[in-house]
Amino acid sequence: MRSNMEGFSLTTSAGLQTVLTVPARFRGPEDTANGGWIAGALAGTFADTLDRSHALEVTLRRSTPLDTELAVGHVANSVSLSHGGEVLAEAIPVAEDVTPPPFVPFPDAARAEAGFAGLTGDHPVPGCFVCGLRDPGDGLRIFPGPVEGTDLIAAGWRVPMTLTDEEGVIPNALIWAALDCPSGWAHAASGGPGLLGRITAQVFRRVYPNGTYSVVARASGREGRKLFGESAVYEVDGTLVAAAKATWIIPA
């Protein structure tokens, strides 16, 4: 069995081994996969009903290489991604609901982009698929900036047609990716965004090409080099599309 998602390859050979390959387009730091995207790709290996009724927690243990065949393993209710015998990431369902940050209307979210720290200072990962300074239609170009009078950051997400799969659908892995970077950028004033270590997310609704959405995030705490944040994607009328909480690590 083989399926493709904007270059994403998931192959099962003789029913024995599932192999995932991440194209370079979906990079975070150079030569490695974007953490939110790889988390969403692993989450997508669970049944659709489980993805909507449970939060899924993905722990990123090592950087995920690009354009490389990676083994996907299923044990009980968990999924792992590995390469050369080393586990790169693990996903499990968790019995909790993720609390989203408050809704920010799209016009306010779009205005907040002017304050995005990656535009006004040095962007640590300028080629990131989510928040990098990529060409329109190539990356997600989600640039969250401070929302005046709140503790929130937000961005307007304008979803291009180039993100659809072969059936014209925006894959859930891209929604997870959109939830990723904003919660790290919420710590821009205190050393963030750092590297994604763990993300727990729920996707409730589809995202549509040519749609406009608000992406909202806020910092929720810090323990040493660990940064905690929350993020959400909303439709223009305030309907919640997806929510996540994340743990970021500032490199030593």
Side-chain angles (χ1 to χ4, degrees):
M1 179 182 69
R2 182 180 181 88
S3 64
N4 292 303
M5 182 186 70
E6 275 295 290
F8 163 81
S9 175
L10 186 64
T11 306
T12 302
S13 175
L16 298 177
Q17 184 181 45
T18 302
V19 175
L20 182 152
T21 303
V22 185
R25 179 184 183 186
F26 302 117
R27 64 189 180 275
E30 290 301 316
D31 302 322
T32 64
N34 171 265
W37 189 92
I38 201 66
L42 273 188
T45 66
F46 289 90
D48 283 346
T49 53
L50 180 62
D51 196 19
R52 285 165 173 76
S53 61
H54 293 74
L56 291 169
E57 176 187 279
V58 181
T59 301
L60 305 174
R61 303 199 178 279
R62 293 176 176 83
S63 298
T64 299
L66 303 168
D67 296 322
T68 302
E69 290 192 345
L70 309 169
V72 179
H74 295 258
V75 177
N77 67 339
S78 67
V79 177
S80 64
L81 183 70
S82 60
H83 181 236
E86 290 189 325
V87 175
L88 307 177
E90 295 175 297
I92 59 171
V94 292
E96 64 177 289
D97 290 323
V98 180
T99 302
F103 170 59
V104 174
F106 180 82
D108 296 333
R111 279 193 292 270
E113 294 172 17
F116 175 50
L119 296 176
T120 58
D122 292 330
H123 196 308
V125 190
C128 176
F129 174 67
V130 179
C131 65
L133 311 179
R134 304 271 288 268
D135 291 337
D138 180 27
L140 299 189
R141 293 177 60 85
I142 295 175
F143 303 142
V147 178
E148 186 175 357
T150 75
D151 63 348
L152 306 172
I153 64 169
W157 183 19
R158 306 154 187 85
V159 184
M161 291 292 297
T162 55
L163 296 180
T164 59
D165 63 13
E166 59 191 11
E167 297 178 351
V169 173
I170 301 297
N172 276 7
L174 299 184
I175 303 175
W176 278 69
L179 292 166
D180 171 12
C181 298
S183 62
W185 282 108
H187 290 272
S190 57
L195 298 174
L196 183 66
R198 175 174 291 162
I199 183 169
T200 303
Q202 288 178 280
V203 177
F204 303 102
R205 301 171 66 86
R206 286 179 55 186
V207 162
Y208 293 91
N210 289 332
T212 52
Y213 298 83
S214 293
V215 181
V216 187
R218 65 180 170 194
S220 57
R222 178 171 186 166
E223 293 178 3
R225 294 190 296 113
K226 290 184 178 181
L227 309 175
F228 305 101
E230 303 166 348
S231 57
V233 177
Y234 287 98
E235 294 184 351
V236 292
D237 65 356
T239 301
L240 180 65
V241 173
K245 65 176 184 179
T247 301
W248 294 79
I249 309 297
I250 296 178

